[in-house]
mmCIF file with all atom_site columns, all heavy atoms in Angstrom:
data_model
loop_
_atom_site.group_PDB
_atom_site.id
_atom_site.type_symbol
_atom_site.label_atom_id
_atom_site.label_alt_id
_atom_site.label_comp_id
_atom_site.label_asym_id
_atom_site.label_entity_id
_atom_site.label_seq_id
_atom_site.pdbx_PDB_ins_code
_atom_site.Cartn_x
_atom_site.Cartn_y
_atom_site.Cartn_z
_atom_site.occupancy
_atom_site.B_iso_or_equiv
_atom_site.pdbx_formal_charge
_atom_site.auth_seq_id
_atom_site.auth_comp_id
_atom_site.auth_asym_id
_atom_site.auth_atom_id
_atom_site.pdbx_PDB_model_num
ATOM 1  N N   . PRO A 1 72 ? 20.931 -31.914 -41.897 1.00 96.00 ? 96  PRO A N   1
ATOM 2  C CA  . PRO A 1 72 ? 19.987 -31.766 -42.998 1.00 96.00 ? 96  PRO A CA  1
ATOM 3  C C   . PRO A 1 72 ? 19.211 -33.032 -43.319 1.00 96.00 ? 96  PRO A C   1
ATOM 4  O O   . PRO A 1 72 ? 19.834 -34.019 -43.430 1.00 96.00 ? 96  PRO A O   1
ATOM 5  C CB  . PRO A 1 72 ? 20.849 -31.223 -44.207 1.00 96.00 ? 96  PRO A CB  1
ATOM 6  C CG  . PRO A 1 72 ? 22.086 -30.652 -43.579 1.00 96.00 ? 96  PRO A CG  1
ATOM 7  C CD  . PRO A 1 72 ? 22.287 -31.399 -42.306 1.00 96.00 ? 96  PRO A CD  1
ATOM 8  N N   . GLY A 1 73 ? 17.913 -32.879 -43.513 1.00 95.00 ? 97  GLY A N   1
ATOM 9  C CA  . GLY A 1 73 ? 17.098 -34.087 -43.808 1.00 95.00 ? 97  GLY A CA  1
ATOM 10 C C   . GLY A 1 73 ? 16.524 -34.834 -42.611 1.00 95.00 ? 97  GLY A C   1
ATOM 11 O O   . GLY A 1 73 ? 15.727 -35.666 -42.714 1.00 95.00 ? 97  GLY A O   1
ATOM 12 N N   . SER A 1 74 ? 17.020 -34.388 -41.386 1.00 95.00 ? 98  SER A N   1
ATOM 13 C CA  . SER A 1 74 ? 16.616 -35.147 -40.194 1.00 95.00 ? 98  SER A CA  1
ATOM 14 C C   . SER A 1 74 ? 15.103 -34.963 -39.844 1.00 95.00 ? 98  SER A C   1
ATOM 15 O O   . SER A 1 74 ? 14.611 -35.816 -39.163 1.00 95.00 ? 98  SER A O   1
ATOM 16 C CB  . SER A 1 74 ? 17.509 -34.782 -38.957 1.00 95.00 ? 98  SER A CB  1
ATOM 17 O OG  . SER A 1 74 ? 17.476 -33.381 -38.764 1.00 95.00 ? 98  SER A OG  1
ATOM 18 N N   . ALA A 1 75 ? 14.514 -33.881 -40.363 1.00 96.00 ? 99  ALA A N   1
ATOM 19 C CA  . ALA A 1 75 ? 13.107 -33.665 -40.021 1.00 96.00 ? 99  ALA A CA  1
ATOM 20 C C   . ALA A 1 75 ? 12.188 -33.942 -41.200 1.00 96.00 ? 99  ALA A C   1
ATOM 21 O O   . ALA A 1 75 ? 10.992 -33.717 -41.078 1.00 96.00 ? 99  ALA A O   1
ATOM 22 C CB  . ALA A 1 75 ? 12.887 -32.244 -39.609 1.00 96.00 ? 99  ALA A CB  1
ATOM 23 N N   . ARG A 1 76 ? 12.807 -34.544 -42.250 1.00 95.00 ? 100 ARG A N   1
ATOM 24 C CA  . ARG A 1 76 ? 12.010 -34.692 -43.537 1.00 95.00 ? 100 ARG A CA  1
ATOM 25 C C   . ARG A 1 76 ? 10.869 -35.590 -43.336 1.00 95.00 ? 100 ARG A C   1
ATOM 26 O O   . ARG A 1 76 ? 9.741  -35.348 -43.728 1.00 95.00 ? 100 ARG A O   1
ATOM 27 C CB  . ARG A 1 76 ? 12.940 -35.221 -44.577 1.00 95.00 ? 100 ARG A CB  1
ATOM 28 C CG  . ARG A 1 76 ? 12.248 -35.446 -45.892 1.00 95.00 ? 100 ARG A CG  1
ATOM 29 C CD  . ARG A 1 76 ? 13.202 -35.737 -47.074 1.00 95.00 ? 100 ARG A CD  1
ATOM 30 N NE  . ARG A 1 76 ? 12.479 -36.262 -48.159 1.00 95.00 ? 100 ARG A NE  1
ATOM 31 C CZ  . ARG A 1 76 ? 11.625 -35.626 -48.945 1.00 95.00 ? 100 ARG A CZ  1
ATOM 32 N NH1 . ARG A 1 76 ? 11.389 -34.325 -48.652 1.00 95.00 ? 100 ARG A NH1 1
ATOM 33 N NH2 . ARG A 1 76 ? 10.988 -36.167 -49.899 1.00 95.00 ? 100 ARG A NH2 1
ATOM 34 N N   . GLU A 1 77 ? 11.027 -36.735 -42.661 1.00 94.00 ? 101 GLU A N   1
ATOM 35 C CA  . GLU A 1 77 ? 9.918  -37.701 -42.513 1.00 94.00 ? 101 GLU A CA  1
ATOM 36 C C   . GLU A 1 77 ? 8.773  -37.085 -41.774 1.00 94.00 ? 101 GLU A C   1
ATOM 37 O O   . GLU A 1 77 ? 7.559  -37.231 -42.106 1.00 94.00 ? 101 GLU A O   1
ATOM 38 C CB  . GLU A 1 77 ? 10.449 -38.988 -41.723 1.00 94.00 ? 101 GLU A CB  1
ATOM 39 C CG  . GLU A 1 77 ? 9.319  -39.957 -41.660 1.00 94.00 ? 101 GLU A CG  1
ATOM 40 C CD  . GLU A 1 77 ? 9.836  -41.468 -41.838 1.00 94.00 ? 101 GLU A CD  1
ATOM 41 O OE1 . GLU A 1 77 ? 10.970 -41.585 -42.205 1.00 94.00 ? 101 GLU A OE1 1
ATOM 42 O OE2 . GLU A 1 77 ? 9.036  -42.309 -41.460 1.00 94.00 ? 101 GLU A OE2 1
ATOM 43 N N   . ALA A 1 78 ? 9.070  -36.366 -40.682 1.00 96.00 ? 102 ALA A N   1
ATOM 44 C CA  . ALA A 1 78 ? 7.953  -35.692 -39.945 1.00 96.00 ? 102 ALA A CA  1
ATOM 45 C C   . ALA A 1 78 ? 7.334  -34.594 -40.707 1.00 96.00 ? 102 ALA A C   1
ATOM 46 O O   . ALA A 1 78 ? 6.054  -34.347 -40.543 1.00 96.00 ? 102 ALA A O   1
ATOM 47 C CB  . ALA A 1 78 ? 8.519  -35.177 -38.595 1.00 96.00 ? 102 ALA A CB  1
ATOM 48 N N   . ASP A 1 79 ? 8.113  -33.904 -41.497 1.00 94.00 ? 103 ASP A N   1
ATOM 49 C CA  . ASP A 1 79 ? 7.530  -32.867 -42.344 1.00 94.00 ? 103 ASP A CA  1
ATOM 50 C C   . ASP A 1 79 ? 6.497  -33.499 -43.332 1.00 94.00 ? 103 ASP A C   1
ATOM 51 O O   . ASP A 1 79 ? 5.404  -32.928 -43.593 1.00 94.00 ? 103 ASP A O   1
ATOM 52 C CB  . ASP A 1 79 ? 8.582  -32.163 -43.150 1.00 94.00 ? 103 ASP A CB  1
ATOM 53 C CG  . ASP A 1 79 ? 9.301  -31.002 -42.396 1.00 94.00 ? 103 ASP A CG  1
ATOM 54 O OD1 . ASP A 1 79 ? 8.599  -30.386 -41.512 1.00 94.00 ? 103 ASP A OD1 1
ATOM 55 O OD2 . ASP A 1 79 ? 10.503 -30.743 -42.656 1.00 94.00 ? 103 ASP A OD2 1
ATOM 56 N N   . LEU A 1 80 ? 6.852  -34.661 -43.929 1.00 96.00 ? 104 LEU A N   1
ATOM 57 C CA  . LEU A 1 80 ? 5.943  -35.338 -44.796 1.00 96.00 ? 104 LEU A CA  1
ATOM 58 C C   . LEU A 1 80 ? 4.684  -35.761 -44.047 1.00 96.00 ? 104 LEU A C   1
ATOM 59 O O   . LEU A 1 80 ? 3.539  -35.644 -44.520 1.00 96.00 ? 104 LEU A O   1
ATOM 60 C CB  . LEU A 1 80 ? 6.597  -36.548 -45.434 1.00 96.00 ? 104 LEU A CB  1
ATOM 61 C CG  . LEU A 1 80 ? 7.705  -36.207 -46.428 1.00 96.00 ? 104 LEU A CG  1
ATOM 62 C CD1 . LEU A 1 80 ? 8.388  -37.571 -46.863 1.00 96.00 ? 104 LEU A CD1 1
ATOM 63 C CD2 . LEU A 1 80 ? 7.164  -35.473 -47.592 1.00 96.00 ? 104 LEU A CD2 1
ATOM 64 N N   . GLY A 1 81 ? 4.912  -36.186 -42.842 1.00 96.00 ? 105 GLY A N   1
ATOM 65 C CA  . GLY A 1 81 ? 3.771  -36.560 -41.957 1.00 96.00 ? 105 GLY A CA  1
ATOM 66 C C   . GLY A 1 81 ? 2.868  -35.340 -41.720 1.00 96.00 ? 105 GLY A C   1
ATOM 67 O O   . GLY A 1 81 ? 1.645  -35.443 -41.800 1.00 96.00 ? 105 GLY A O   1
#
Side-chain angles (χ1 to χ4, degrees):
S98 57
R100 180 168 163 71
E101 183 144 347
D103 276 331
L104 292 174

